[in-house]
């Protein structure tokens, strides 16, 4: 493959009155172009663009060592533009070290309000124009699909077609309804997993009971609590990742002079799953992706009370999914300095609409979405509710894959969705 790096200057606030401030602040947005070496440079220059929107929030664009899976399929017909969404990767990155440059916690929270899907889409449209591209194909995975719906709402003239995998966002309603449905799905996935590996039910119980009586610390010095251990439920969102969870649990304990303790290999694997050091925006902005007009108010934490089986005090605790809770900002060293900012964002009431339901109902851009029936991150029922509200959107419902389906067979999934949009043009 061949790559080209692109850097763009974009407004921090796309929606401010430009006449009011001629010196409005700008930020950097980075993207990397990938082209198959099977195309000559001259031929590649004539290929249409495909913009890939990564999952998240807070996930930087993929760094490909080679083209494979969906990117191999896409590179046959497209120049791929891999975007580092604002605040991630090389795009004016945000973390505990950079945010204090904005000032105090209220100033930091005000800055972060410019890092949602509406601003990401506005960046993308400016980039498309800067590249001199015709309306392009957008492919959104997970949160990238949420952004694609925002693009269909507010920038449809920049779109040739839209592909979405595991990313049909609810267009309206409280985030509470999202978490009620996803808690139910995560509970069902726990039951399925422990049905496959009954010995893992015993292993989880043993680890939980151990953590209740014996302080254990990850290798970064932070505590491994029961609730942090429950975060390993993120493995349940994939087809083969459940088997990886089984492998992780099998050698959790070692014998020491002080009795059984959690092993360093186990603790290090857990740390890699529960730390948000590599994507702090995920924890800061996660609930805001559902915020439209009202405060999210730690919705997952509030709804958790309706599902006592997920309580860290339950007799046989269940593993959780992607939910974000206030205690993240006490127990994760990468997030601890951001706790006050997180509280301000949770209390924010001024979130603007992320979707135009009238525009989506009148949509003329061909779109196709893979909807996974057992997705524990983006609920199937809510996804189909959204699908029914978007004109020209075709869905492929399948139980063959989970949320990370493109990691299992991205080439086939991408090719199928592209065929679906092209069939309705």
């Amino acid at each position: 493959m061949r790559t080209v790096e692109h850097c763009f200057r974009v407004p921090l606030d796309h929606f401010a009155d430009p006449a009011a401030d001629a010196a409005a602040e700008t930020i950097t947005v980075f993207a990397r172009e990938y082209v198959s070496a099977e195309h000559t440079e001259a031929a590649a220059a004539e290929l249409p663009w495909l913009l890939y929107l990564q999952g998240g929030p807070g996930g930087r664009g993929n760094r490909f060592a080679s083209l494979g899976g969906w990117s191999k399929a896409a590179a046959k017909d497209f120049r791929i533009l891999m975007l580092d969404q604002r605040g991630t990767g090389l795009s004016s990155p945000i973390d505990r070290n950079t945010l204090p440059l904005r000032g105090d916690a209220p100033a930091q929270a005000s800055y972060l309000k410019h890092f949602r899907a509406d601003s990401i889409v506005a960046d993308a449209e400016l980039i498309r124009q800067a590249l001199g591209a015709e309306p392009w194909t957008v492919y959104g995975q997970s949160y990238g699909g949420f952004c694609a719906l925002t693009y269909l709402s507010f920038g449809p003239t920049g779109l040739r077609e839209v592909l979405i995998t595991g990313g049909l966002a609810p267009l309206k309603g409280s985030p509470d309804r999202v978490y009620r449905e996803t808690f139910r799905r995560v509970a069902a996935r726990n039951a399925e997993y422990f049905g496959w590996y009954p010995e893992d039910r015993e292993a989880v119980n043993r680890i939980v009971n151990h953590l209740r009586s014996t302080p254990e610390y990850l290798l970064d010095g932070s505590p491994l609590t029961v609730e942090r251990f429950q975060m390993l439920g993120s493995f349940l969102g994939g087809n083969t990742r459940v088997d990886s969870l089984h492998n992780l649990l099998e050698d959790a304990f070692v014998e020491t002079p002080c009795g059984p303790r959690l092993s360093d290999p186990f603790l290090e694997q857990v740390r890699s799953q529960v730390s948000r050091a590599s994507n702090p925006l995920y924890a800061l902005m996660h609930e805001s992706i559902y915020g439209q007009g009202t405060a999210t108010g730690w919705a997952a934490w509030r709804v958790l009370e309706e599902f006592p089986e997920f309580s860290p005090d339950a007799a046989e605790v269940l593993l959780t999914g992607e939910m974000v809770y206030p205690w993240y900002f006490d127990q994760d060293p990468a997030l601890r300095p951001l706790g006050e900012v997180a509280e301000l964002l949770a209390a924010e009431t001024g979130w603007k609409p992320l979707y135009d339901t009238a525009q989506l109902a009148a949509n003329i851009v061909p779109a196709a979405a893979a909807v996974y029936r057992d997705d524990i991150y983006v609920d199937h029922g809510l996804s189909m509710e959204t699908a029914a509200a978007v004109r020209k959107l075709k869905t492929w419902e399948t139980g063959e894959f989970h949320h990370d389906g493109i990691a299992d067979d991205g080439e086939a999934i991408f090719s199928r969705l592209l065929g679906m949009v092209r069939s309705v043009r």
Side-chain angles (χ1 to χ4, degrees):
M1 65 184 184
R2 295 189 298 272
T3 65
V4 180
E5 296 180 349
H6 301 270
C7 285
F8 306 90
R9 298 298 298 180
V10 301
L12 171 65
D13 184 356
H14 284 278
F15 310 105
D17 181 0
D21 186 0
E25 182 176 358
T26 61
I27 60 173
T28 298
V29 171
F30 173 83
R32 183 173 278 115
E33 173 186 348
Y34 292 95
V35 177
S36 171
E38 293 181 1
H39 302 292
T40 66
E41 291 192 29
E46 300 300 318
L47 291 173
W49 286 95
L50 179 142
L51 173 70
Y52 181 73
L53 295 173
Q54 173 66 290
R60 70 176 187 171
N62 295 332
R63 268 55 175 171
F64 293 138
S66 62
L67 296 172
W70 74 263
S71 63
K72 180 180 179 181
K76 295 175 183 176
D77 302 301
F78 296 98
R79 302 161 76 180
I80 300 169
L81 193 69
M82 181 64 64
L83 183 68
D84 279 357
Q85 297 169 20
R86 54 170 51 200
T88 74
L90 297 176
S91 295
S92 295
I94 289 173
D95 62 19
R96 63 188 173 91
N97 299 306
T98 63
L99 261 183
L101 292 170
R102 307 304 307 183
D104 60 11
Q108 294 173 37
S110 178
Y111 179 68
L112 287 169
K113 286 189 283 188
H114 302 298
F115 286 78
R116 296 205 305 158
D118 49 357
S119 296
I120 293 168
V121 165
D123 290 343
E125 189 56 12
L126 277 186
I127 289 169
R128 183 186 69 81
Q129 295 170 18
L131 292 172
E134 297 293 322
W136 56 10
T137 300
V138 167
Y139 176 25
Q141 156 66 13
S142 188
Y143 176 64
F146 289 31
C147 295
L149 288 170
T150 301
Y151 213 148
L152 282 170
S153 295
F154 302 116
T157 57
L159 299 172
R160 178 189 182 192
E161 59 209 357
V162 168
L163 313 178
I164 295 172
T165 47
L168 288 182
L171 302 179
K172 56 187 178 181
S174 163
D176 294 39
R177 67 199 287 256
V178 173
Y179 294 114
R180 284 193 184 95
E181 296 305 321
T182 51
F183 271 123
R184 291 187 184 104
R185 289 199 178 274
V186 177
R189 186 65 165 160
N190 270 264
E192 188 173 37
Y193 169 64
F194 290 129
W196 291 332
Y197 292 112
E199 66 270 36
D200 287 6
R201 176 70 273 176
E202 297 175 13
V204 167
N205 289 348
R206 184 186 179 195
I207 293 168
V208 166
N209 289 330
H210 175 78
L211 293 173
R212 286 170 176 165
S213 63
T214 306
E216 291 276 10
Y217 296 88
L218 301 178
L219 301 189
D220 62 7
S222 64
L224 177 57
T225 58
V226 173
E227 54 267 33
R228 289 188 91 186
F229 171 69
Q230 288 177 275
M231 292 171 66
L232 294 182
S234 61
F235 279 100
L236 301 178
N239 279 33
T240 58
R241 279 169 55 79
V242 294
D243 304 301
S244 298
L245 175 57
H246 170 71
N247 295 335
L248 187 157
L249 295 175
E250 68 183 1
D251 59 352
F253 285 94
V254 291
E255 290 296 329
T256 77
C258 300
R261 299 299 297 263
L262 296 177
S263 70
D264 280 356
F266 173 78
L267 291 169
E268 180 57 17
Q269 291 177 81
V270 172
R271 185 204 59 78
S272 70
Q273 296 298 316
V274 305
S275 171
R276 293 297 178 194
S278 64
N279 58 345
L281 270 183
Y282 179 89
L284 283 167
M285 304 299 292
H286 179 74
E287 289 201 353
S288 79
I289 68 177
Y290 302 111
Q292 299 189 88
T294 59
T296 57
W298 297 114
W301 185 240
R302 187 171 56 251
V303 173
L304 177 65
E305 296 181 1
E306 302 172 21
F307 296 87
E309 62 269 36
F310 286 100
S311 168
D313 299 321
E316 290 198 323
V317 301
L318 298 185
L319 304 175
T320 57
E322 67 170 356
M323 301 77 168
V324 172
Y325 310 113
W327 54 259
Y328 274 30
F329 296 86
D330 296 324
Q331 299 188 23
D332 188 335
L335 299 179
R336 202 170 292 137
L338 306 175
E340 186 179 354
V341 180
E343 290 290 347
L344 291 171
L345 291 172
E348 175 62 44
T349 59
W351 299 119
K352 296 184 298 184
L354 292 169
Y355 313 106
D356 183 333
T357 54
Q359 175 62 42
L360 292 174
N363 174 58
I364 61 171
V365 178
V371 181
Y372 307 126
R373 292 194 182 96
D374 301 310
D375 197 328
I376 67 169
Y377 296 139
V378 181
D379 178 70
H380 170 262
L382 296 179
S383 295
M384 295 310 296
E385 176 185 296
T386 294
V390 182
R391 184 173 177 268
K392 298 275 280 188
L393 171 65
K394 299 181 72 173
T395 58
W396 169 41
E397 297 176 76
T398 177
E400 185 179 354
F401 300 102
H402 283 263
H403 190 72
D404 63 350
I406 61 170
D408 290 322
D409 197 357
E411 189 169 0
I413 291 172
F414 178 88
S415 298
R416 178 168 184 151
L417 293 180
L418 186 64
M420 289 168 64
V421 294
R422 297 286 167 89
S423 71
V424 298
R425 185 168 299 282

